[in-house]
Amino acid sequence: MIVLRRAALVMLALAAAAAGFALLFPEAATQLAIAGERARSGFEHRSLAVDGTEWYYLEAGPIDSEAVVLVHGFGGDKDNWLRFARHFSERYRVIALDLPGFGETTREPDRDYRIPAQAEALEALLAALDLERFHLLGHSMGGHLAAYYAHRHPADVATLALVTNSGLDSPVPSELQELVASGESPLIPETEAEYRRLVEFASFEPPFIPWPVSKVLAREAVAAAPFKRRIRDSLLADRSARLEPLLPEIEMPVFVLWGRHDRLLDVTIVDVIKTLVPHARSVILEDAGHLPMLERPAESARHYLEFLDAR
């Protein structure tokens, strides 16, 4: 009993020390937490300079296996995929990247961040990584980019997976559309409180984000608000890359994953995609919002693997 009591006291002391470190050095504690999450998922942090852009990405899996390229959404980054991708990273070579202007990859004020320009930049990166044929999966804005890329480079993309993707008009206005129409802009938080509301707004059940990681992420999101507004405005103003005319011409296997309670992009977009791409396989998760790969990572990965196995 004495030994157990001493062990409990030691654990309490360690917990107190960790809490104190996090309180005094939140940024360092956040980096340690992110590094731990990457290590648990088997991913290595890498970078590569291509045409003046320093790309940062995470990679896991056998180098000689089929590759899966993961493209994040607006306001997201490469770490959004960790809890999802760990379920198949032993079988596939998985590359989760930061697009230019997001995460750690080079941010340039005067760069063109519209979908066609991002597709050209992505093509250069994938060529530098010697990826000639791969599975492409994108979330939200990244899904829009992935579909556009697959249409332009059909010989390179073995399969296309779209997770709550943008780039299509919704038959039913989403809650986000209604808020934007009323003059609000919930996607670009101006305060830490607005960031926390955004996480709740995007999720049916918000994924666990340990403190102080959530606070540091909130600060970073607020600091990036002016830059993100410029990217958002350029994306909204450009309809040249809309997916309605492109999707019917896509012939590779297509997988669509959505959350029933997506408040950003209404679930009825799935019906639009199935009309445009009759051979697409779709799954709607009942207990998920806009972030199914974060809210239901194991379930989302299972459906994705079933799609890859059935192609």
Side-chain angles (χ1 to χ4, degrees):
M1 291 296 293
I2 293 176
V3 173
L4 291 176
R5 196 172 300 160
R6 286 177 177 171
L9 289 173
V10 169
M11 294 300 294
L12 286 172
L14 290 174
F21 176 79
L23 182 63
L24 292 172
F25 308 103
E27 286 78 12
T30 296
Q31 290 305 312
L32 286 173
I34 292 174
E37 187 80 11
R38 292 170 180 170
R40 283 191 295 274
S41 299
F43 279 82
E44 295 184 6
H45 182 257
R46 296 178 178 173
S47 66
L48 181 65
V50 182
D51 297 336
T53 296
E54 190 71 22
W55 290 79
Y56 286 83
Y57 62 98
L58 302 174
E59 182 169 351
I63 191 70
D64 57 350
S65 62
E66 294 181 80
V68 176
V69 177
L70 305 175
V71 187
H72 63 79
F74 184 86
D77 60 36
K78 58 189 176 299
D79 289 292
N80 290 167
W81 297 105
L82 289 174
R83 298 175 188 178
F84 166 78
R86 69 174 60 161
H87 296 283
F88 52 87
S89 58
E90 291 185 358
R91 177 175 166 185
Y92 292 92
R93 179 188 179 190
V94 183
I95 297 171
L97 54 90
D98 278 341
L99 291 170
F102 297 88
E104 297 177 279
T105 296
T106 303
R107 177 181 297 179
E108 302 172 38
D110 298 326
R111 186 185 186 118
D112 185 354
Y113 290 99
R114 292 173 296 179
I115 294 297
Q118 290 282 41
E120 290 184 10
L122 180 59
E123 179 186 9
L125 171 68
L126 298 180
L129 290 171
D130 293 324
L131 294 181
E132 296 180 354
R133 189 164 170 80
F134 47 87
H135 305 284
L136 185 59
L137 191 161
H139 169 246
S140 197
M141 178 197 71
H144 185 178
L145 173 59
Y148 181 87
Y149 188 98
H151 180 266
R152 287 182 61 87
H153 306 283
D156 297 340
V157 181
T159 67
L160 171 66
L162 305 173
V163 181
T164 60
N165 64 282
S166 61
L168 294 159
D169 291 327
S170 171
V172 176
S174 68
E175 190 173 338
L176 173 64
Q177 288 176 292
E178 294 174 347
L179 289 172
V180 170
S182 69
E184 297 187 41
S185 184
L187 282 185
I188 304 178
E190 303 281 353
T191 66
E192 293 182 24
E194 288 182 1
Y195 174 82
R196 291 190 291 272
R197 284 197 296 271
L198 173 59
V199 173
E200 294 177 357
F201 184 74
S203 313
F204 179 66
E205 293 181 4
F208 172 70
I209 304 176
W211 187 91
V213 175
S214 60
K215 190 170 184 64
V216 172
L217 295 180
R219 290 175 182 171
E220 293 176 351
V222 171
F227 182 75
K228 295 291 176 60
R229 275 197 298 273
R230 192 178 75 78
I231 295 180
R232 178 206 58 192
D233 292 345
S234 67
L235 289 171
L236 292 175
D238 178 31
R239 293 187 64 87
S240 66
R242 299 297 295 177
L243 297 181
E244 282 87 353
L246 306 184
L247 288 182
E249 300 177 0
I250 288 180
E251 298 180 352
M252 77 274 296
V254 176
F255 175 65
V256 182
L257 180 66
W258 225 273
R260 176 71 69 186
H261 303 279
D262 191 341
R263 300 161 70 185
L264 279 73
L265 296 170
D266 193 78
V267 68
T268 53
I269 295 177
V270 174
D271 295 328
V272 175
I273 297 174
K274 291 171 68 175
T275 299
L276 297 173
V277 190
H279 66 272
R281 176 174 179 172
S282 64
V283 172
I284 298 174
L285 299 184
E286 296 298 328
D287 297 328
H290 188 64
L291 306 167
M293 73 288 188
L294 275 169
E295 300 173 70
R296 295 286 183 270
E299 186 178 359
S300 297
R302 175 172 60 81
H303 288 298
Y304 181 54
L305 283 172
E306 289 174 355
F307 159 72
L308 292 179
D309 289 339
R311 61 193 158 94

